Amino acid sequence: MRDRYYVSVDVGATRIRVALFKSSGEIVQRVEASTPRENPEAPSRKIIELIDSFKPKISMRGEILGVGIGSIGPLDLKKGMISVAPNLGLKEVPLVEPIEEKLGLPVALQNDCTAAVIGEKYFGAGKTFDNLVYVTISTGIGGGVYVDGHLLVGKDGNAAEVGHFVVDNRWNLKCGCGGIGHWEAYCSGRNLPRFAKILIEELKAKDSEKRYLMKRCNRDLTRLTAKTIYEGAEEGDPLCLRILEEVSDLNARGFASITNAYDPELISVGGAITLNHPKLVLDPIIRGIGKYLAVRAPEIKVTPLGEDIVLYGAFALISRSIS
Ligand SMILES: [Zn+2]
């Protein structure tokens, strides 16, 4: 029998990561590149180029059976494309058709968080659970959901846009999607700096209290990043810790709304902010979620699949759709 392989692709706002999987679920090789943004066709061309680089790895008697993709969204699943990618400055980015045509292989597409929860279900912490949510706290905030063993997809593949749950009516910040008070508008890597600046003004922080952050930002708070704030909190800076108190309360509201909506047994959490600062992110959520809950609290923990979770999910997506 010929050796069977699958290709799995994680299309992010900054990087495209591609892995060659054996049908057993073992990663044989991985490659990555910056996500190109010259034109809507550039990302699929780059993916094809990266897949071609696997050829020497595949034995004479081997063959690739299909390609699974987990991509930033929002997606148009019927057309197999990213409908708008504000972070890339692109619209209508085709993924399925160009790869199917060029490589002559079946291609399966889901949004990255949906792919991630599939990865968690088949390879990670979710194997024994029928009610499972995956949440990423990274540049943005997103989720993927299983209820009673069923993957939630929705009419356009956007059934679990948890980053756009309303968590605030005090600051009423506008989200990138245009909505008001959305979780992602406060606690995502992209938007945390803006929220932090508002809090710093509101707290009337003295110069001495701002010393750490001013030093890290070269005395220019417009250079503030989420990374700086989390690192400051890790080092015990009181102002950074105070900012994260508000962030953690909003995170607890987000996790409570997820729990009230989907009643999961487990919420596994990933994304760069969580993976870099697991205790700082999760401990206050676990402590604070109770007062917002109407239902029994779930277990909440960091995903064991780390930054490979979308790759595992995209592999499960394509291999299960073929075999
Ligand atoms: Zn939003």
Side-chain angles (χ1 to χ4, degrees):
M1 204 176 107
R2 306 184 75 178
D3 293 330
R4 304 162 81 192
Y5 296 90
Y6 294 91
V7 169
S8 134
V9 184
D10 175 1
V11 181
T14 51
R15 309 288 291 168
I16 292 178
R17 306 171 68 227
V18 183
L20 180 66
F21 276 79
K22 280 189 181 166
S23 54
S24 59
E26 182 193 334
I27 295 181
V28 181
Q29 192 181 358
R30 56 176 89 215
V31 287
E32 62 175 89
S34 299
T35 309
R37 47 188 72 198
E38 305 90 83
N39 55 60
E41 287 72 35
S44 58
R45 269 205 300 273
K46 179 56 76 180
I47 292 168
I48 292 164
E49 187 188 311
L50 292 169
I51 295 173
D52 278 341
S53 76
F54 290 146
K55 279 188 181 147
K57 276 280 166 191
I58 297 170
S59 56
M60 286 285 285
R61 295 172 59 244
E63 61 175 338
I64 294 175
L65 297 185
V67 179
I69 306 176
S71 171
I72 48 167
L75 302 176
D76 183 331
L77 281 183
K78 288 184 194 82
K79 292 183 181 163
M81 57 171 58
I82 305 173
S83 42
V84 220
N87 294 326
L88 298 177
L90 295 174
K91 273 185 189 168
E92 305 205 329
V93 179
L95 293 174
V96 173
E97 206 178 280
I99 297 171
E100 275 182 346
E101 274 180 10
K102 182 80 183 167
L103 301 178
L105 294 170
V107 177
L109 172 69
Q110 279 295 348
N111 90 39
D112 46 5
C113 290
T114 303
V117 79
I118 299 172
E120 198 70 279
K121 173 92 178 127
Y122 290 99
F123 295 99
K127 285 180 197 162
T128 56
F129 295 108
D130 280 338
N131 297 286
L132 166 70
V133 177
Y134 170 76
V135 176
T136 177
I137 304 178
S138 186
T139 313
I141 293 178
V145 180
Y146 276 93
V147 176
D148 298 332
H150 299 292
L151 178 70
L152 303 191
V153 177
K155 67 186 187 311
D156 294 316
N158 304 319
E161 285 290 338
V162 301
H164 305 277
F165 278 5
V166 176
V167 295
D168 167 62
N169 67 355
R170 176 173 159 198
W171 293 283
N172 291 313
L173 300 187
K174 197 168 186 181
C175 182
C177 74
I180 302 290
H182 292 183
W183 185 10
E184 183 173 289
Y186 303 77
C187 304
S188 65
R190 188 188 304 118
N191 292 320
L192 173 55
R194 171 183 69 169
F195 182 42
K197 273 179 267 173
I198 292 168
L199 289 173
I200 291 168
E201 283 207 1
E202 196 178 286
L203 291 164
K204 298 191 171 49
K206 298 190 191 92
D207 284 349
S208 59
E209 292 167 322
K210 286 191 276 191
R211 193 172 295 140
Y212 174 90
L213 282 180
M214 291 304 269
K215 192 172 161 216
R216 287 289 309 269
C217 305
N218 266 338
R219 314 208 63 73
D220 178 3
L221 280 186
T222 60
R223 296 187 188 178
L224 196 58
T225 63
K227 185 169 183 280
T228 311
I229 296 162
Y230 273 94
E231 286 176 359
E234 294 279 8
E235 290 175 33
D237 177 68
L239 183 57
C240 293
L241 286 166
R242 180 70 190 84
I243 291 166
L244 289 192
E245 254 177 53
E246 297 294 347
V247 170
S248 298
D249 180 57
L250 296 171
N251 280 339
R253 292 172 186 224
F255 275 69
S257 292
I258 288 170
T259 308
N260 292 334
Y262 306 118
D263 199 13
E265 297 154 272
L266 169 70
I267 302 180
S268 78
V269 196
I273 291 181
T274 314
L275 296 174
N276 290 331
H277 307 282
K279 278 185 75 64
L280 262 183
V281 174
L282 292 195
D283 287 0
I285 294 173
I286 294 165
R287 276 199 308 272
I289 192 172
K291 61 180 174 288
Y292 301 115
L293 282 180
V295 302
R296 196 157 53 82
E299 185 184 347
I300 298 172
K301 66 179 187 186
V302 175
T303 173
L305 297 176
E307 60 174 16
D308 285 339
I309 188 164
V310 176
L311 289 176
Y312 277 100
F315 163 67
L317 179 68
I318 185 66
S319 60
R320 292 178 55 78
S321 77
I322 290 176
S323 54

